[in-house]
Amino acid sequence: MTSFTFEKLVIFGVGLIGGSLARALREGGRAAAGGIVVGVGRSLATAERAKALGVVDEVAALDDDDALRRALGGADLVLIAAPVAQTEPLLARIAPFLGETTLVTDAGSTKTDVVAAARAALGASIARFIPGHPIAGRESSGVEAALPDLYVGRNVVLCPLPENRSADVARIEALWRAAGAEVRTMEAAQHDRVFASVSHLPHLLSFALVEQILGEPDAALKFSFAAGGFRDFTRIAASSPEMWRDVCLANRTALLAELDGYAAVLARLRAAIVAGDGATLETVFTRSREARAAWQERGAQASGPAGDLAAK
Amino acid sequence: MTSFTFEKLVIFGVGLIGGSLARALREGGRAAAGGIVVGVGRSLATAERAKALGVVDEVAALDDDDALRRALGGADLVLIAAPVAQTEPLLARIAPFLGETTLVTDAGSTKTDVVAAARAALGASIARFIPGHPIAGRESSGVEAALPDLYVGRNVVLCPLPENRSADVARIEALWRAAGAEVRTMEAAQHDRVFASVSHLPHLLSFALVEQILGEPDAALKFSFAAGGFRDFTRIAASSPEMWRDVCLANRTALLAELDGYAAVLARLRAAIVAGDGATLETVFTRSREARAAWQERGAQASGPAGDLAAK
């Protein structure tokens, strides 16, 4: 177990992601000397729900200057765990109250836009912002869905900036390792291409299938016969619309490139179906099946996220 | 429990689907008086594996005239449970050995093409062919994956022909009910439209995502970060390539219509992303999420397939 100590962690957005980190540090028994965890919500009500559930020690509302100053006073760590479109206004809002040595990280699903937002909001303080992304989504959201072991064995990607001190990056790495995660680093643009492909596009495609059926005259009949294949394929269509709206727009360049590449694959498969070209279909399906089986096999051996087949 | 008796059921293709029906009848305790179950494989080896596992009582190989005549002698029921492209050659092969009163049904995922194949192969005996489709796929295939309770609470669709006697349709209904299934009837063309939408298209889309990633230069990196969303979305890309090749070709008209409708939805979402139109994205995602949640809720209340959330 990693030995990790902190004085005060302030989490902006105590939902699934922020709440699970709080629970990991406070309940997981991994933090050598757990400090205070403060939850800040858009309204005091959401933050107070987190406190009532025992997820955080103290709460504050974002629109209350005095409460915000008190919350950030003495904080060594800040986590932004809100939909990515809120990164810039959130950072701009808290910048005046940030201490000189407070480190700030985030949990956004996209990184290029978050870095740009942080540069705009923090100016010369950008050196103290270490961009991050825990790969631990579930289709459930909200603090009620938070789990102390959500990050155990999961990947957290950090995308350090040239301005970051390596000791500060190491401290954010230690924070996530204390929650049980594996930490990997990557350049922001590369991060966005990878997750456009393996996460953002599948979410868009899943929402799109339900949308398509809804638009058809026999939608009710079709839903009544939907079974296991539909269930798995659309599980991620139960995800937060607000979060995924933001991700699609924040990562639009990489996402559009992946979407166009996907449309080209579909066009190739369509042509094979029209031509009655079973050999091409079988070749593609076999290759896909084998690649997916190899991926699952690697995951089953590793402690990474792919191995956690029981998790949502 | 349904009271159901049979003398001899001959299953052509003892894999997941055929093997599970055999196990349901022989082990499920539902058949009031279980008869003999004979498994016929393309080779004797596959059928003998089913016998060694205790799934069937007797076996025969398709290419052995004498064995086939013995297998079908005294059979009251025949199930064709092979990839749909094999329906016509299989029925043509067994037609000379079919008794006057033997009823034949199938388990194919498509029905218009199966009906055409059956008419071509059976000629005047078409009245004794009752087309069927158990909605109980898993990504596992083969007789080792067969389960005695695979059909419990699942839908089986029958698409009776004008030539069928209603007593014969009722007997095939009783066969599936004896395995625990709910039986619903539907016209073949309607069946093919419904399943193109909720099953065949999602399988094609799932194979296509893995194929797309495989074609990219950073495929290994992308797979290494794929997590829960990718896992669920591509679970059905682990399905049998041969089966899905046949389904795509057999149901090409309905599948192409659904694929084109889906491409139109993707084009609409693409335009919204390009335009930065977050309102449209959020509206679509919210509508999809709610429809999917309502579907799951109905399934949780019903005994139908959607309720079986734990099953693969």
Side-chain angles (χ1 to χ4, degrees):
Chain A
M1 286 299 108
T2 311
S3 169
F4 177 79
T5 60
F6 67 100
E7 293 295 318
K8 188 198 267 190
L9 167 66
V10 187
I11 297 175
F12 289 81
V14 192
L16 168 69
I17 295 296
S20 293
L21 182 63
R23 293 194 63 181
L25 296 176
R26 298 178 73 242
E27 305 167 34
R30 287 189 175 77
I36 292 169
V37 179
V38 184
V40 184
R42 274 184 279 191
S43 72
L44 199 56
T46 47
E48 277 181 341
R49 210 170 42 177
K51 189 177 175 186
L53 288 166
V55 172
V56 298
D57 302 290
E58 297 176 6
V59 296
L62 192 63
D63 58 4
D64 182 337
D65 274 18
D66 289 339
L68 205 53
R69 184 178 293 108
R70 272 196 308 277
L72 287 165
D76 44 351
L77 296 168
V78 167
L79 172 71
I80 308 292
V84 286
Q86 296 173 31
T87 306
E88 184 166 344
L90 257 176
L91 287 175
R93 171 79 183 129
I94 69 178
F97 309 107
L98 275 180
E100 286 298 311
T101 58
T102 312
L103 297 183
V104 183
T105 189
D106 79 307
S109 303
T110 58
K111 292 274 70 72
T112 308
D113 68 303
V114 161
V115 170
R119 290 191 185 281
L122 297 177
S125 302
I126 189 67
R128 287 185 285 123
F129 180 77
I130 295 102
H133 176 201
I135 318 302
R138 300 175 68 203
E139 72 271 24
S140 326
S141 49
V143 69
E144 294 81 1
L147 300 170
D149 60 355
L150 183 67
Y151 300 113
V152 174
R154 303 303 183 97
N155 283 314
V156 170
V157 180
L158 297 186
C159 300
L161 301 174
E163 294 89 341
N164 293 152
R165 294 194 322 136
S166 60
D168 293 343
V169 175
R171 181 144 173 81
I172 300 299
E173 286 187 19
L175 167 68
W176 286 111
R177 289 211 181 94
E182 315 276 334
V183 179
R184 298 169 71 177
T185 60
M186 202 185 281
E187 196 258 327
Q190 187 177 50
H191 167 281
D192 286 358
R193 283 194 302 271
V194 166
F195 290 95
S197 175
V198 301
S199 171
H200 309 169
L201 179 63
H203 278 81
L204 188 73
L205 298 176
S206 182
F207 282 123
L209 183 74
V210 183
E211 169 74 359
Q212 182 198 6
I213 298 173
L214 280 172
E216 295 180 345
D218 50 358
L221 181 70
K222 285 176 172 165
F223 280 123
S224 81
F225 279 100
F230 174 87
R231 180 189 64 232
D232 292 343
F233 188 92
T234 61
R235 201 189 306 274
I236 50 182
S239 306
S240 159
E242 183 185 14
M243 172 185 162
W244 287 98
R245 173 201 68 195
D246 284 4
V247 166
C248 288
L249 295 181
N251 199 21
R252 77 177 78 179
T253 306
L255 179 56
L256 289 174
E258 293 299 327
L259 183 56
D260 292 345
Y262 187 76
V265 173
L266 286 188
R268 194 150 47 85
L269 293 174
R270 187 187 199 286
I273 294 170
V274 169
D277 178 1
T280 292
L281 295 175
E282 189 172 1
T283 299
V284 170
F285 296 170
T286 302
R287 189 157 61 204
S288 293
R289 182 197 213 193
E290 287 170 359
R292 207 251 176 212
W295 171 82
Q296 186 158 329
E297 181 63 23
R298 283 193 302 277
Q301 287 164 357
S303 60
D308 185 5
L309 293 175
K312 290 260 173 78
Chain B
M1 288 299 108
T2 311
S3 170
F4 177 76
T5 60
F6 66 100
E7 294 296 319
K8 189 199 267 190
L9 166 65
V10 185
I11 299 177
F12 289 81
V14 191
L16 168 69
I17 295 296
S20 292
L21 182 62
R23 294 194 63 181
L25 295 178
R26 297 180 73 242
E27 306 167 35
R30 287 192 173 78
I36 292 169
V37 179
V38 183
V40 184
R42 274 183 279 189
S43 71
L44 199 57
T46 48
E48 276 180 343
R49 210 170 46 182
K51 189 177 175 187
L53 288 165
V55 171
V56 298
D57 301 290
E58 297 176 7
V59 296
L62 193 62
D63 56 5
D64 181 338
D65 272 19
D66 288 339
L68 205 53
R69 183 178 294 112
R70 273 196 306 276
L72 287 165
D76 44 350
L77 296 168
V78 167
L79 172 71
I80 307 292
V84 286
Q86 295 172 31
T87 307
E88 185 168 343
L90 257 177
L91 287 175
R93 171 79 183 126
I94 68 179
F97 308 106
L98 275 180
E100 285 298 312
T101 58
T102 312
L103 297 183
V104 183
T105 188
D106 80 307
S109 303
T110 57
K111 291 273 74 72
T112 307
D113 68 305
V114 161
V115 170
R119 288 190 186 281
L122 297 177
S125 302
I126 190 67
R128 285 183 287 126
F129 181 76
I130 295 104
H133 177 202
I135 317 303
R138 302 173 69 203
E139 72 272 23
S140 325
S141 48
V143 68
E144 294 81 1
L147 300 170
D149 60 354
L150 183 67
Y151 299 113
V152 175
R154 302 303 183 97
N155 281 313
V156 171
V157 180
L158 297 185
C159 300
L161 302 174
E163 293 90 341
N164 293 151
R165 295 194 321 138
S166 60
D168 294 341
V169 175
R171 179 139 175 84
I172 301 298
E173 287 187 18
L175 167 68
W176 286 110
R177 289 210 182 95
E182 314 276 334
V183 179
R184 298 169 70 178
T185 59
M186 202 184 280
E187 195 260 327
Q190 187 178 50
H191 167 280
D192 287 357
R193 284 194 302 271
V194 166
F195 289 95
S197 174
V198 301
S199 172
H200 308 168
L201 180 62
H203 278 80
L204 188 72
L205 298 175
S206 181
F207 283 122
L209 183 75
V210 182
E211 169 74 0
Q212 183 197 7
I213 297 173
L214 280 173
E216 297 181 341
D218 51 357
L221 182 71
K222 285 175 172 167
F223 280 124
S224 81
F225 280 101
F230 173 86
R231 182 189 60 233
D232 291 343
F233 187 91
T234 61
R235 201 187 306 273
I236 48 181
S239 305
S240 160
E242 183 185 16
M243 173 186 162
W244 287 97
R245 173 201 68 192
D246 284 3
V247 166
C248 288
L249 295 181
N251 200 21
R252 78 178 76 180
T253 306
L255 178 56
L256 289 174
E258 293 299 327
L259 182 56
D260 292 345
Y262 187 75
V265 172
L266 286 187
R268 193 149 51 83
L269 293 173
R270 188 186 198 288
I273 293 171
V274 170
D277 178 1
T280 291
L281 294 176
E282 189 173 359
T283 300
V284 169
F285 296 169
T286 303
R287 188 158 59 204
S288 292
R289 183 196 213 194
E290 287 170 358
R292 208 252 178 212
W295 171 81
Q296 186 157 329
E297 180 64 25
R298 282 193 302 274
Q301 287 166 356
S303 60
D308 187 6
L309 292 175
K312 290 258 171 79

